Each structure stands twice: as C-alpha cells, then as structure tokens.
Amino acid sequence: MFEGQDILEFTDRFRDDLSCLSYLADIKWSEGYSCQKCGHEKHTIRKKNLARDCNRCHYIESPTANTLFHRVRFGIRKAFTIVFEMSATTKGISSQQIANRFSISPTTAWTFMHKVRNAMKSSETQLMEGEVHVDEFVYGGKERLKQGRSFDSKKKKIVVAVELNDNGKVKRTYFKKIEDYSAKSLVGIFEAHISKDADVLTDKWSGYKPISNEYNITQELSDFGSSMKQLHTIIHQVKSWMRSVYSWVHKEHIESYLAEFSFRINRSIYKQSIFHKLIERMVKAKPYSYQMIIVST
Ligand SMILES: [Zn+2]
C-alpha cells in the first residue's frame, strides 16, 4: 500500500507502467484469481502486462479490465499520477491544467477526471451521527447578500450537511443537488447520509418540518449564519473552490464536483491512505465511459 503525499516517493514507487499494473493486480486479485469466463483458478501471468491467462480456457484478463482504468489510452502511469494529484491537492486542478501538464487533450483529461470523481462518490453506508447541521445554498449567477431562499431557476440549488466532532469541528460533509426547497427534495440528503439518531439543526424553513416526523430535527431562527458557523464556512469554501478551479460547472455535473470536495474533506484525517483508497475504489468500480458520463447526467 502506497502511503503519504510525497511526490518523489510516488514517482520512485510508480516509475513505469509495470509497477502501476502490479499495484492494480495486487488490489484486483487480493482475494485470489478466478477466471471471468469459466471460474477456473489456475493461471499463468504474462510478464509483459501482468495479465492473467486462464490455464483452462485461456481467457486473458488484464489488471485494468473492468476497472475505471479500462482503455485509458494515455498510459497507466499518467493515469496513476493524475489520481495522485487529485487526491493530494486540497485545491483541486482543472482539466485544462491536467491536459497541459500531461500532454493529453482537454477532453481526455476531463473524461478521466470524471471517472476519478465517480470513484470519489460516497458509498452512502456511513451515516452521519451526533451533531449534524443542514442548510441549502445556491451556486452560479449573481450573488446577493440577502437572506432567504433564491427561486432563480438559473441558479443551482444544493443542500449541504455537516457532521461535527466533539470539539465542534467539521468531521464530514455531504452535498446533494435539489430541484426545489420542498420536503420531498430536502429529504434526499437525510436518507443518503444522516442517521435517524443524529441531532440535526436546521433553520426555520417549513420544508424541514415534515422531515422531523422521522428525524430528530431542531429548527432555530437563522441569524445570518452565526448559529451554524462551521456549515457556512464549508459553503463559502466550496463556492470559492468551484469558482477558482472550475470556471464553469455544468448543472448536470455539479454533484461530481461536490463529491470531489467532500471526498477530500472527509478523508483529510486519513491523508496517508487517500491515494490507495482512491485506487482501490477505481479498481472495484464498474467501467464508466465518456458516453456514460454524458448520458448519466
Ligand atoms: Zn477460464
């Protein structure tokens, strides 16, 4: 397992395609090999690319097959380095920057980065517990320093939740795109990320009322954000991050960018293993093509 964020250690460890393929193979077959076609377990490893050649039916499976590294045309080493960059930097990188630094086309960079973001998406299995604050914000268009909800249809509406630790610091955060501020829309983030035992704080918005039948919600009069300071700091950070790195975030893709932001915040206490975790998720994820990125949105 590769640990840490040191770029020189990284380039030493992943000095050629074979060392990257070997890393993928170790993760992919960590529980042993069994042929995709016939289930046979005996195999021969091809020296050239570490593909497994089934001894019975001779079906050949490469370490990248059926992973998010499938058919990466610019080489596995560049792909690994892009994942490392995306996992290590707290600021995020635009696909144009990646295109320039890795000599690939902006579309290729954009597509691959979306695959990485797809792997960054929450598995929605670890619900937030304890003190959780929930609010919404809008992104895009002109900002107004006015309290209340924006009903401008051009703006992207997002609901956000933060889980606080015992010291009142942000432990984890999740976002969800919403179409409107109805209870039906707002409940999505609760179902995906919040435990029914959590102590949830929201403002007085009526949309949260029906949800309090199932969740433990306290509604407080919002005082220009001072009652939910940590949450408003997160909103401020995510907005300025998206504004600086991704000059234009398409409405359809906003959740992917928010997943990237959450992934880094939520894993910031496990910085040592962040790269490994991401590679692991990319190996276990199903292939995700350019067409699928366009269509699924
Ligand atoms: Zn076989």
Side-chain angles (χ1 to χ4, degrees):
M1 169 171 153
F2 178 81
E3 286 195 324
Q5 300 192 297
D6 187 305
I7 184 79
L8 293 182
E9 273 176 32
F10 179 85
T11 47
D12 268 358
R13 173 80 182 263
F14 301 105
R15 61 196 170 281
D16 50 26
D17 284 355
L18 214 54
S19 41
C20 301
L21 290 171
S22 155
Y23 201 81
L24 288 185
D26 285 349
I27 294 174
K28 188 172 186 177
W29 291 295
S30 60
E31 270 148 43
Y33 164 88
S34 114
C35 174
Q36 291 290 310
K37 282 274 139 69
C38 75
H40 193 64
E41 290 178 0
K42 294 228 161 57
H43 63 283
T44 314
I45 299 173
R46 299 194 149 194
K47 284 219 171 76
K48 193 179 64 162
N49 60 0
L50 306 179
R52 269 56 175 168
D53 184 346
C54 170
N55 285 1
R56 190 200 277 160
C57 76
H58 291 290
Y59 174 73
I60 293 163
E61 188 183 349
S62 72
T64 57
N66 300 312
T67 75
L68 292 182
F69 294 99
H70 188 54
R71 296 210 174 121
V72 164
R73 271 171 257 138
F74 48 87
I76 191 72
R77 193 163 164 247
K78 276 189 189 181
F80 260 52
T81 315
I82 294 171
V83 175
F84 182 69
E85 294 271 288
M86 287 179 77
S87 68
T89 168
T90 49
K91 294 271 182 269
I93 327 159
S94 71
S95 50
Q96 186 59 57
Q97 277 172 291
I98 289 287
N100 295 343
R101 292 183 56 203
F102 292 87
S103 306
I104 55 181
S105 81
T107 310
T108 303
W110 184 88
T111 308
F112 183 69
M113 289 171 84
H114 263 291
K115 292 180 184 179
V116 181
R117 278 185 205 110
N118 189 51
M120 287 172 162
K121 277 186 189 149
S122 160
S123 54
E124 302 186 356
T125 51
Q126 310 268 327
L127 300 178
M128 298 200 273
E129 311 263 0
E131 200 179 343
V132 175
H133 295 176
V134 178
D135 201 0
E136 327 90 50
F137 65 98
V138 290
Y139 181 75
K142 286 236 155 55
E143 295 285 331
R144 272 178 309 172
L145 288 168
K146 195 177 143 240
Q147 224 182 0
R149 275 144 186 95
S150 167
F151 292 92
D152 180 347
S153 63
K154 285 199 193 94
K155 289 178 185 284
K156 299 154 183 103
K157 301 172 191 72
I158 296 144
V159 58
V160 48
V162 296
E163 176 187 43
L164 302 181
N165 65 18
D166 294 341
N167 303 320
K169 294 251 159 53
V170 174
K171 198 170 155 197
R172 288 188 294 165
T173 184
Y174 291 109
F175 304 88
K176 236 178 174 35
K177 190 177 86 181
I178 47 175
E179 293 307 319
D180 53 47
Y181 303 111
S182 67
K184 211 174 139 215
S185 296
L186 293 170
V187 78
I189 199 162
F190 285 81
E191 290 170 344
H193 300 294
I194 303 174
S195 157
K196 288 190 174 162
D197 299 322
D199 294 314
V200 184
L201 182 67
T202 70
D203 64 13
K204 290 271 195 192
W205 176 247
S206 59
Y208 293 108
K209 255 218 180 87
I211 305 173
S212 64
N213 293 331
E214 285 201 58
Y215 289 84
N216 194 4
I217 299 176
T218 307
Q219 293 197 275
E220 254 176 32
L221 206 60
S222 83
D223 184 15
F224 285 96
S226 68
S227 54
M228 296 196 272
K229 220 170 71 202
Q230 303 90 336
L231 181 126
H232 291 99
T233 305
I234 287 284
I235 294 176
H236 179 78
Q237 283 173 353
V238 74
K239 279 184 173 181
S240 60
W241 172 72
M242 286 201 288
R243 225 177 277 126
S244 65
V245 184
Y246 308 103
S247 52
W248 180 247
V249 173
H250 222 262
K251 191 177 178 180
E252 286 71 27
H253 291 125
I254 196 160
E255 284 201 318
S256 300
Y257 293 101
L258 295 168
E260 180 185 349
F261 184 86
S262 298
F263 181 81
R264 272 194 298 264
I265 295 266
N266 299 352
R267 299 209 68 85
S268 57
I269 49 168
Y270 314 107
K271 274 207 180 80
Q272 290 295 94
S273 62
I274 196 164
F275 170 78
H276 178 82
K277 270 277 163 257
L278 200 45
I279 294 285
E280 208 174 56
R281 284 191 184 197
M282 291 185 73
V283 169
K284 285 168 185 164
K286 288 274 155 285
Y288 191 57
S289 67
Y290 177 76
Q291 285 311 317
M292 286 161 76
I293 296 168
I294 304 294
V295 175
S296 75
T297 56

